[in-house]
């Protein structure tokens, strides 16, 4: 049995990484009501790229963040332009994009399977097996770096959204798309930017995932379920909600894992998803859809 | 001098019927124009077409002789035409300051935006004390003021206000109309859509009556007010409130 404070430390550290993993999902949904079911598939793709970068080129996964970020940003803008823009203006846009992203997830899984087979991978940088001990508490070193990187990226994203002209335009489009058009925001361009940022966050999350959690092509289904549960708990399209939801559920899952055993930890997310949908479908920070 | 010309514009939504059918209207620079007409006549639709939020199915919109229909909303805004829509369309979770900054979005030079914000706050000093409040927490009248102030951030030449008095108390309505008069003294051409016919026409130079997607008649505001066709239009449809019929 682990002490309560130890659970909190591990849970919050894990939650920081979950928050980064889920933030793009929330952003993409908030700006254009696209629920990108392929988000985690891109995350796993990012993990493979980080894995091979370490194996072949000896690039540390933390450094490959700098490659995956821009690469997935560009990939996101290209995919948005090619696949999503033609659907714009459809009456059932959200449903259409849901199916499209589902297909995209299957396609990426297939490509990853064909290229890299189905075996489990885990990048193994030197720090992955070490732990840091503070008095009676410990934290795995890799986890600590991953959390620090996640917080750094989340803070940078927050600063961008709060303090810059384009960031403000993204938030404005999330709050009221027509109003954004009225003040002269080219909302299609902002949507492409937001999709690119969402994808970039998937790519950099992949770098962290590569050495934190074993992965194989089909693993993204489990990840997307976890990410959806945090986003729904926080409130669809609320970025703050996503961060809070991630921290809460991560702590809960670490607690469940310590009390009942690790096999029960994924069940935490499904139970939470079920409870939120029963009790407060709009989530903690969400507004009811009109 | 003419500033805005609507030429034979037809428009509608999706696959639906024409909401505007071959509407032609001309607006003069520097005047207040008041558009009236029963609910569903197509007044908001006309403003949306001018703002570029809805493409006309046929016909053209010209600004000082240049065709602007078919341009994107941001391009039309850059030409100096701004819209304050019926629902005000503020960004509820942003502060008033951020809403004003968003009003200046198309200006990339941030110093220019700050300077403009100072100017706007001098014109609407009542907005200043709410700068750090979330727009969604303001009263209806305050939100309307902020919406007008936000529109001013682009130095508009034409400002369109869709039912600015909607849902406001009479005293607040007076303040909004005083603000609209201030726009005129600044040389801005104003287009207002108003359900409050008497009030709207009292402040306007010209009146335009839209009915079932067509321009029914127009003229100097005072003449439109006295026109028997106006009474007929509203009484016939039981739209005019009792207060307006008697008052
Ligand atoms: N977004 C929309 N989609 C479909 N029909 C609409 C939409 N907006 C307005 N309409 C229809 O267009 C007609 C005119 O609406 P509107 O221009 O808002 O009238 P007004 O502002 O004069 O009350 C109404 O019959 C309304 O139902
Ligand atoms: Mg209307």
């Amino acid at each position: 049995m682990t002490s309560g404070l130890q659970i909190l430390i591990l849970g919050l550290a894990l939650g920081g990484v979950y928050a980064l993993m889920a933030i793009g999902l929330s952003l993409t949904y908030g700006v254009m009501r696209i629920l990108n079911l392929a988000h985690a598939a891109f995350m796993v793709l990012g993990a493979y790229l980080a894995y091979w970068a370490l194996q072949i080129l000896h690039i540390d996964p933390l450094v490959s963040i700098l490659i995956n970020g821009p690469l997935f940003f560009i990939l996101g803008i290209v995919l948005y332009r090619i696949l999503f823009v033609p659907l714009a203006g459809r009456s059932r846009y959200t449903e259409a994009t849901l199916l499209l992203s589902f297909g995209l997830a299957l396609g990426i899984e297939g490509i990853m399977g064909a290229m890299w087979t189905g075996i489990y991978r885990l990048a193994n940088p030197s720090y992955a097996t070490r732990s840091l001990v503070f008095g009676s508490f410990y934290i795995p070193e890799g986890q600590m770096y991953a959390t620090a990187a996640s917080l750094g990226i989340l803070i940078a994203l927050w600063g961008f959204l709060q303090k810059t002209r384009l960031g403000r335009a993204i938030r404005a489009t999330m709050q009221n798309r027509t109003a954004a058009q009225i003040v002269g925001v080219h909302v299609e361009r902002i949507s492409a930017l937001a999709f690119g940022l969402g994808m970039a966050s998937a790519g950099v999350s992949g770098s962290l995932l590569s050495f934190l959690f074993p992965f194989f092509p089909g693993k993204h289904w489990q990840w997307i379920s976890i990410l959806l549960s945090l986003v729904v708990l926080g409130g669809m399209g609320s970025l703050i909600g996503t961060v809070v939801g991630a921290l809460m559920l991560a702590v809960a899952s670490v607690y469940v894992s310590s009390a009942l055993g690790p096999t029960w930890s994924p069940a935490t997310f499904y139970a939470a998803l079920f409870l939120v949908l029963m009790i407060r479908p709009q989530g903690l920070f969400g507004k009811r859809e009109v | 001098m003419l500033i805005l010309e609507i030429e034979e514009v037809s428009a509608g939504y999706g696959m639906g019927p024409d909401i505007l059918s071959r509407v032609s209207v001309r607006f003069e620079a520097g005047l207040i124009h008041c558009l009236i007409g029963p609910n569903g006549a197509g007044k908001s639709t006309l403003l949306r077409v001018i703002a570029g939020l809805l493409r006309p199915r046929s016909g053209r919109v010209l600004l000082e002789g240049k065709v602007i229909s078919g341009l994107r909303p941001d391009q039309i805004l850059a030409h100096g035409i701004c819209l304050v829509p019926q629902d005000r369309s503020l960004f509820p979770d942003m502060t008033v300051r951020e809403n004003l900054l968003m009003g200046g979005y198309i200006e990339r030079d941030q110093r220019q935006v700050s300077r403009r914000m100072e100017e706007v706050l001098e014109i609407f000093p009542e907005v200043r004390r709410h700068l750090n409040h979330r727009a969604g927490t303001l009263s209806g009248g305050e939100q309307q003021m902020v919406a007008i102030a936000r529109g001013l951030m682009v130095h508009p030449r034409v400002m369109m206000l869709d039912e600015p008095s909607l849902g406001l108390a009479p005293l607040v309505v007076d303040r909004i109309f005083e603000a609209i008069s201030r726009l005129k003294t600044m040389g801005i051409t104003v287009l207002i859509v108003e359900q409050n016919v008497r009030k709207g026409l009292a402040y306007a130079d010209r009146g335009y009556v839209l009915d079932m997607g067509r321009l029914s008649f127009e003229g100097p505001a005072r003449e439109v007010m006295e026109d028997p066709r106006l009474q007929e239009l509203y009484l016939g449809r039981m739209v005019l409130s009792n207060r307006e019929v008697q008052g």
Side-chain angles (χ1 to χ4, degrees), chain A residues 165 171 175 179 183-184 287, chain B residues 74 77 89 91 93 98 105:
Chain A
R165 175 173 169 272
R171 282 190 296 134
Q175 288 177 34
V183 296
K287 298 196 173 116
Chain B
D74 53 306
L77 188 71
S89 282
F91 303 109
D93 294 333
E98 286 181 306
Y105 177 76

Side-chain angles (χ1 to χ4, degrees), chain A residues 4 54 61 65 69 103 114 145 165 194 198 213 216 241 247 255 263 281 289:
Chain A
L54 179 65
I65 285 177
Y145 295 156
R165 175 173 169 272
F213 310 99
F216 66 99
L247 293 174
Y255 175 77
T263 47
E289 291 280 326

Side-chain angles (χ1 to χ4, degrees), chain A residues 200-270:
Chain A
S201 77
V204 301
S205 300
S207 288
L208 303 179
L209 186 142
S210 73
F211 63 89
L212 288 177
F213 310 99
F215 58 93
F216 66 99
K219 188 76 172 175
H220 70 97
W221 295 119
Q222 189 186 333
W223 277 112
I224 196 69
S225 318
I226 290 177
L227 299 185
L228 281 175
S229 70
L230 335 161
V231 171
V232 170
L233 171 64
M236 298 289 295
S238 161
L239 300 182
I240 301 270
T242 298
V243 173
V244 173
L247 293 174
M248 284 173 62
L249 280 189
V251 171
S253 75
V254 171
Y255 175 77
V256 167
S257 170
S258 134
L260 303 175
T263 47
W264 285 97
S265 146
T268 320
F269 299 98
Y270 309 132

